[in-house]
Amino acid sequence: MLAVVVLTIVGSILINSFRAQAQVRDGAESASTAQLIAESVGQGVRNASALEVTTPSAGTTMLRTRSVDGSASGTWYCQAWVWSGGELRTSRSSTAIAAPDAATLSTWTLLASGVAAVGSTPIFSVGTDERSLDLSLTVANGETVPILIDSVMVAQQPIPATGKVTAPCF
Protein backbone atom coordinates (compact mmCIF):
# COMPACT_ATOMS: atom_id res chain seq x y z
CA MET A 1 0.00 0.00 0.00
CA LEU A 2 2.82 2.39 0.90
CA ALA A 3 4.56 1.58 -2.39
CA VAL A 4 1.43 2.53 -4.35
CA VAL A 5 1.23 5.91 -2.59
CA VAL A 6 4.94 6.61 -3.16
CA LEU A 7 4.74 5.60 -6.82
CA THR A 8 1.66 7.80 -7.31
CA ILE A 9 3.47 10.81 -5.82
CA VAL A 10 6.61 10.17 -7.87
CA GLY A 11 4.52 9.70 -11.04
CA SER A 12 2.66 12.98 -10.42
CA ILE A 13 5.92 14.87 -9.93
CA LEU A 14 7.33 13.36 -13.13
CA ILE A 15 4.23 14.24 -15.19
CA ASN A 16 4.19 17.82 -13.86
CA SER A 17 7.88 18.26 -14.65
CA PHE A 18 7.23 17.19 -18.27
CA ARG A 19 4.38 19.72 -18.51
CA ALA A 20 6.56 22.49 -17.09
CA GLN A 21 9.37 21.61 -19.50
CA ALA A 22 6.97 21.83 -22.47
CA GLN A 23 5.66 25.22 -21.31
CA VAL A 24 9.18 26.61 -20.90
CA ARG A 25 10.17 25.28 -24.35
CA ASP A 26 7.04 26.80 -25.98
CA GLY A 27 7.67 30.13 -24.25
CA ALA A 28 11.30 30.20 -25.37
CA GLU A 29 10.29 29.40 -28.97
CA SER A 30 7.70 32.20 -28.93
CA ALA A 31 10.25 34.68 -27.60
CA SER A 32 12.83 33.65 -30.22
CA THR A 33 10.26 33.96 -33.00
CA ALA A 34 9.19 37.40 -31.74
CA GLN A 35 12.83 38.54 -31.78
CA LEU A 36 13.23 37.22 -35.33
CA ILE A 37 10.20 39.23 -36.48
CA ALA A 38 11.38 42.41 -34.75
CA GLU A 39 14.87 42.05 -36.24
CA SER A 40 13.64 41.34 -39.77
CA VAL A 41 11.09 44.17 -39.90
CA GLY A 42 13.35 46.53 -37.93
CA GLN A 43 16.28 46.11 -40.29
CA GLY A 44 14.08 46.62 -43.33
CA VAL A 45 12.49 49.76 -41.90
CA ARG A 46 15.72 51.30 -40.55
CA ASN A 47 17.35 50.93 -43.97
CA ALA A 48 14.28 52.13 -45.90
CA SER A 49 13.84 55.23 -48.01
CA ALA A 50 10.09 54.56 -48.21
CA LEU A 51 7.42 52.48 -46.45
CA GLU A 52 3.97 51.40 -47.58
CA VAL A 53 1.25 49.40 -45.81
CA THR A 54 -1.66 48.00 -47.80
CA THR A 55 -4.53 45.58 -47.30
CA PRO A 56 -4.60 43.58 -50.56
CA SER A 57 -7.51 41.41 -49.35
CA ALA A 58 -9.62 40.85 -46.25
CA GLY A 59 -7.48 39.49 -43.43
CA THR A 60 -4.22 40.22 -45.22
CA THR A 61 -1.84 43.09 -44.46
CA MET A 62 1.27 43.88 -46.49
CA LEU A 63 4.25 46.06 -45.60
CA ARG A 64 6.64 47.02 -48.41
CA THR A 65 9.91 48.90 -48.15
CA ARG A 66 12.57 50.20 -50.48
CA SER A 67 15.71 49.50 -48.48
CA VAL A 68 19.47 49.62 -48.89
CA ASP A 69 21.77 46.78 -47.89
CA GLY A 70 24.83 47.17 -45.69
CA SER A 71 27.40 46.73 -48.44
CA ALA A 72 29.96 49.40 -49.30
CA SER A 73 28.17 50.10 -52.59
CA GLY A 74 24.76 50.36 -50.91
CA THR A 75 22.55 48.31 -53.23
CA TRP A 76 18.82 49.10 -53.08
CA TYR A 77 16.27 46.29 -52.87
CA CYS A 78 12.54 45.82 -52.34
CA GLN A 79 11.28 43.87 -49.34
CA ALA A 80 7.79 42.90 -48.26
CA TRP A 81 6.17 41.26 -45.27
CA VAL A 82 2.67 39.79 -45.42
CA TRP A 83 0.50 38.81 -42.47
CA SER A 84 -2.25 36.43 -43.48
CA GLY A 85 -3.91 33.45 -41.83
CA GLY A 86 -1.86 33.81 -38.65
CA GLU A 87 1.43 33.63 -40.54
CA LEU A 88 4.03 36.32 -41.20
CA ARG A 89 6.05 35.81 -44.38
CA THR A 90 8.71 37.90 -46.13
CA SER A 91 10.22 38.25 -49.58
CA ARG A 92 13.06 40.32 -51.04
CA SER A 93 13.66 41.30 -54.67
CA SER A 94 15.51 43.78 -56.87
CA THR A 95 12.17 44.60 -58.53
CA ALA A 96 8.71 45.54 -57.28
CA ILE A 97 6.91 42.99 -55.15
CA ALA A 98 3.22 42.75 -55.96
CA ALA A 99 0.60 41.58 -53.48
CA PRO A 100 0.88 37.79 -53.69
CA ASP A 101 -1.90 35.28 -54.23
CA ALA A 102 -2.06 32.29 -51.87
CA ALA A 103 0.12 30.09 -54.09
CA THR A 104 2.85 32.73 -54.40
CA LEU A 105 2.67 33.62 -50.71
CA SER A 106 3.35 30.00 -49.77
CA THR A 107 6.76 30.28 -51.51
CA TRP A 108 7.81 33.28 -49.39
CA THR A 109 10.03 32.79 -46.33
CA LEU A 110 7.95 31.93 -43.27
CA LEU A 111 9.06 34.06 -40.32
CA ALA A 112 6.40 32.90 -37.90
CA SER A 113 3.06 31.20 -37.44
CA GLY A 114 0.75 31.88 -34.52
CA VAL A 115 0.95 35.64 -35.21
CA ALA A 116 -2.09 37.70 -34.21
CA ALA A 117 -3.11 41.34 -34.06
CA VAL A 118 -3.40 43.00 -30.66
CA GLY A 119 -7.12 43.66 -30.40
CA SER A 120 -8.21 45.96 -33.23
CA THR A 121 -4.75 47.54 -33.59
CA PRO A 122 -3.28 46.96 -37.06
CA ILE A 123 -0.12 44.84 -37.14
CA PHE A 124 1.65 47.38 -39.37
CA SER A 125 0.88 51.09 -39.20
CA VAL A 126 2.93 53.79 -40.95
CA GLY A 127 3.27 57.03 -38.97
CA THR A 128 2.04 60.37 -40.30
CA ASP A 129 5.67 61.28 -41.03
CA GLU A 130 5.80 58.31 -43.47
CA ARG A 131 9.19 57.44 -41.91
CA SER A 132 8.11 55.37 -38.92
CA LEU A 133 6.31 52.07 -38.50
CA ASP A 134 4.36 50.87 -35.49
CA LEU A 135 4.69 47.09 -35.24
CA SER A 136 2.08 45.62 -32.90
CA LEU A 137 1.42 41.87 -32.71
CA THR A 138 1.54 38.77 -30.55
CA VAL A 139 3.31 35.47 -31.23
CA ALA A 140 1.96 32.29 -29.66
CA ASN A 141 3.37 28.80 -29.59
CA GLY A 142 1.70 25.94 -27.78
CA GLU A 143 -0.20 26.74 -24.63
CA THR A 144 2.00 29.55 -23.29
CA VAL A 145 1.03 33.19 -22.94
CA PRO A 146 1.61 34.92 -26.31
CA ILE A 147 4.66 37.18 -26.60
CA LEU A 148 3.76 40.82 -27.32
CA ILE A 149 5.72 43.00 -29.74
CA ASP A 150 4.75 46.66 -29.68
CA SER A 151 7.52 48.74 -31.17
CA VAL A 152 8.03 51.85 -33.26
CA MET A 153 10.75 51.63 -35.89
CA VAL A 154 12.09 54.65 -37.76
CA ALA A 155 13.71 54.82 -41.19
CA GLN A 156 17.27 56.13 -40.94
CA GLN A 157 17.91 56.82 -44.63
CA PRO A 158 17.93 60.53 -45.51
CA ILE A 159 15.18 61.81 -47.78
CA PRO A 160 16.70 63.05 -51.07
CA ALA A 161 16.18 66.68 -52.05
CA THR A 162 13.90 65.45 -54.82
CA GLY A 163 11.55 63.86 -52.26
CA LYS A 164 10.61 60.34 -51.22
CA VAL A 165 11.87 57.67 -53.61
CA THR A 166 9.69 54.57 -53.92
CA ALA A 167 10.67 53.33 -57.40
CA PRO A 168 11.03 50.54 -58.35
CA CYS A 169 9.43 48.96 -55.29
CA PHE A 170 5.93 50.49 -55.30
Side-chain angles (χ1 to χ4, degrees):
M1 181 68 166
L2 181 61
V4 171
V5 172
V6 170
L7 287 175
T8 302
I9 292 171
V10 170
S12 296
I13 291 171
L14 185 61
I15 289 170
N16 285 334
S17 69
F18 287 142
R19 285 184 189 148
Q21 179 185 10
Q23 288 174 340
V24 168
R25 184 181 56 248
D26 289 348
E29 282 184 30
S30 293
S32 293
T33 301
Q35 288 174 344
L36 174 67
I37 292 169
E39 179 60 28
S40 174
V41 175
Q43 182 178 16
V45 170
R46 280 190 307 276
N47 295 331
S49 67
L51 312 169
E52 179 187 61
V53 173
T54 59
T55 306
S57 61
T60 300
T61 304
M62 182 174 187
L63 165 65
R64 292 189 287 189
T65 65
R66 176 182 181 262
S67 300
V68 67
D69 67 15
S71 68
S73 62
T75 304
W76 289 96
Y77 62 91
C78 307
Q79 189 162 8
W81 295 262
V82 170
W83 173 66
S84 181
E87 294 182 338
L88 186 63
R89 292 181 176 265
T90 187
S91 183
R92 184 174 166 167
S93 174
S94 59
T95 60
I97 300 172
D101 58 20
T104 303
L105 185 59
S106 69
T107 66
W108 287 23
T109 302
L110 176 65
L111 287 178
S113 55
V115 177
V118 179
S120 62
T121 304
I123 285 187
F124 304 120
S125 178
V126 176
T128 55
D129 61 359
E130 297 184 355
R131 307 272 304 146
S132 61
L133 177 82
D134 186 5
L135 178 65
S136 183
L137 55 86
T138 61
V139 180
N141 185 23
E143 296 184 22
T144 61
V145 175
I147 303 295
L148 172 68
I149 300 175
D150 191 7
S151 181
V152 175
M153 301 159 181
V154 180
Q156 301 297 311
Q157 293 301 314
I159 298 174
T162 57
K164 180 172 84 173
V165 178
T166 61
C169 296
F170 48 90

